[in-house]
Amino acid sequence: MTPTPLRKDAARNWDQIVAVGRALVDQGTPLQLNDVARRAGIGVGTVYRHFASPEALLETVATPCLEALAAHGEQALADPDPWRALEGFLTRTVEAQVGDASLAPVTAAAEDVLPRTTELKSLLWSSGTTLLDRARAAGTVRPDLAAGDLVPLMCGIAYAVQVHGGAPAERIDTARRYLATLLGGLRVTPPGA
Amino acid sequence: MTPTPLRKDAARNWDQIVAVGRALVDQGTPLQLNDVARRAGIGVGTVYRHFASPEALLETVATPCLEALAAHGEQALADPDPWRALEGFLTRTVEAQVGDASLAPVTAAAEDVLPRTTELKSLLWSSGTTLLDRARAAGTVRPDLAAGDLVPLMCGIAYAVQVHGGAPAERIDTARRYLATLLGGLRVTPPGA
DNA sequence: TGCTAATCGGATGGGTCATCCGGATGACCC
DNA sequence: GGGTCATCCGGATGACCCATCCGATTAGCA
């Protein structure tokens, strides 16, 4: 799977670049490869060789979180309650998007630059689609909601939280409130039914 | 109100610039003043004198639509049915955001560059707040939704529609579906109650 | 028609971005 | 342990985009 195991110094620099990228993302600074190189104490050429574009670095930074989400998505399929499974899936996904700034742009992007990202997103959407289909078949969600609506709605919630602003702790609370509102609109039959 | 009535050629150029800006916005091209000048057949300096930044031009382009929304907002206050008034207000606002690409960035921006924009947004938010408060007092909306949530949620819907993509006609349909879902989550008592 | 003040509009300087190539270094084999 | 080679490092470099400034021009007015 790894065509060339990467030389020792190259691997060290790779880690360094990703670490700086993660730090920049966390503090909300837009990724500029020239800037990343300066902060990492590494030549500009090295950074551009490892990551052809800021998007490539961003996707790399987001990969671990995407992997966790994809894993949780597959695991949610085991839940016998269709509505609870969908609810948990959406909750976890939205909270991850709000908590990790690298996720929102990657999930909203129509095109990916890393194959791994495409693969993970495909897995994640596949889980979401199945969960939504199951819930619809059980009659617990609006029938006019298609699988293609799942991603936009989650991105919309994340964006709404961003527009609302506030401290990180407050933002998670906001996200939960917005998601609860949306879920209330998604659900057809009351929870007690 | 108009400190200096603007010279004839200056007014002509102003109109020309706004027209080009409107055209660019409609076709989804990001506003670059240098580019606007070239397309309008006008010197770069002239464009920068009329509009200090791309945001200023964007806000100018969006102003007519904002004025219409603000007018409708005040008019909605006359509706005796609190829920129907709020519903109509949100519907009109979201549809305008989806139909006019200049609106979304302006409404989502925390800071404005034109005083007129700030004034119109303030009017609009004021109407929205009143409508929401009235609906909450009537017990027809979730009690945990604050006035500050109105703008983020509408921007979130508009963003979700954008992520969903598709042709303009399809986008309005998508917007209506998303808004219906959100409204279903907002409402506490069924419409017939 | 001539004067004045405002406007026009391109040439110009600063800044950012991505690339390229000579020097250096790690990996492998003898 | 030493030599050879492929790979990597990293800053200097060129191209591009943006915003400003000032000489030339034109509209408004007596």
Side-chain angles (χ1 to χ4, degrees):
Chain A
M1 298 299 277
T2 42
T4 305
L6 220 56
R7 229 168 66 177
K8 202 171 66 176
D9 54 346
R12 188 175 55 240
N13 282 336
W14 193 92
D15 290 340
Q16 191 92 357
I17 294 169
V18 173
V20 170
R22 158 58 61 191
L24 287 177
V25 165
D26 283 341
Q27 73 184 61
T29 307
L31 287 186
Q32 301 181 352
L33 295 190
N34 220 321
D35 179 49
V36 168
R38 192 174 47 76
R39 290 176 191 254
I42 291 177
V44 186
T46 305
V47 175
Y48 272 92
R49 189 173 323 103
H50 281 297
F51 302 96
S53 65
E55 286 76 21
L57 176 54
L58 188 70
E59 288 182 16
T60 304
V61 166
T63 294
C65 200
L66 263 184
E67 285 172 341
L69 278 181
H72 178 263
E74 295 207 338
Q75 166 185 338
L77 293 171
D79 192 324
D81 183 338
W83 172 257
R84 191 177 56 193
L86 180 64
E87 186 178 28
F89 176 77
L90 292 180
T91 302
R92 186 124 168 195
T93 305
V94 167
E95 286 182 358
Q97 274 193 321
V98 171
D100 186 340
S102 71
L103 231 49
V106 172
T107 53
E111 301 288 335
D112 312 315
V113 324
L114 299 183
R116 177 69 173 152
T117 304
T118 306
E119 184 186 350
L120 286 171
K121 282 170 68 174
S122 177
L123 244 79
L124 194 57
W125 302 165
S126 167
S127 299
T129 300
T130 304
L131 289 170
L132 181 62
D133 286 343
R134 282 199 342 198
R136 194 189 302 112
T140 56
V141 299
R142 297 171 64 95
D144 64 346
L145 219 74
D149 294 325
L150 226 47
V151 174
L153 283 176
M154 288 188 299
C155 291
I157 294 279
Y159 183 74
V161 172
Q162 181 195 320
V163 170
H164 183 278
E170 185 191 353
R171 295 175 66 170
I172 291 188
D173 186 60
T174 304
R176 291 220 177 90
R177 209 166 66 244
Y178 290 173
L179 187 60
T181 305
L182 180 68
L183 288 172
L186 286 178
R187 191 183 309 174
V188 165
T189 43
Chain B
M1 295 298 278
T2 42
T4 304
L6 219 56
R7 227 168 66 177
K8 201 172 65 176
D9 54 346
R12 187 176 54 240
N13 284 334
W14 193 91
D15 290 341
Q16 191 94 357
I17 295 168
V18 173
V20 171
R22 158 58 60 189
L24 287 177
V25 164
D26 284 341
Q27 73 183 62
T29 308
L31 287 185
Q32 300 181 354
L33 295 193
N34 220 319
D35 180 48
V36 169
R38 191 174 47 75
R39 289 175 191 255
I42 292 177
V44 186
T46 304
V47 175
Y48 273 92
R49 189 174 324 103
H50 282 297
F51 303 96
S53 66
E55 286 76 21
L57 176 54
L58 188 70
E59 289 182 15
T60 303
V61 167
T63 294
C65 200
L66 264 184
E67 285 172 340
L69 278 181
H72 178 262
E74 295 206 337
Q75 166 184 339
L77 292 171
D79 193 322
D81 184 337
W83 172 257
R84 190 178 55 190
L86 179 64
E87 187 178 28
F89 175 78
L90 292 180
T91 301
R92 186 122 170 195
T93 306
V94 166
E95 287 183 358
Q97 273 193 322
V98 171
D100 187 340
S102 71
L103 231 50
V106 171
T107 52
E111 301 288 335
D112 312 314
V113 325
L114 299 184
R116 177 70 175 152
T117 304
T118 306
E119 184 186 348
L120 286 171
K121 282 170 67 174
S122 178
L123 244 78
L124 194 57
W125 302 164
S126 168
S127 299
T129 301
T130 304
L131 290 170
L132 180 64
D133 285 344
R134 282 199 340 198
R136 194 190 301 111
T140 55
V141 299
R142 297 172 63 97
D144 65 345
L145 219 75
D149 294 325
L150 226 46
V151 174
L153 283 177
M154 288 187 299
C155 291
I157 294 280
Y159 182 74
V161 172
Q162 180 196 321
V163 170
H164 184 279
E170 185 190 354
R171 295 175 67 171
I172 292 188
D173 186 60
T174 305
R176 290 220 177 90
R177 209 166 66 243
Y178 290 174
L179 188 59
T181 306
L182 180 68
L183 288 171
L186 287 178
R187 192 184 309 176
V188 165
T189 42

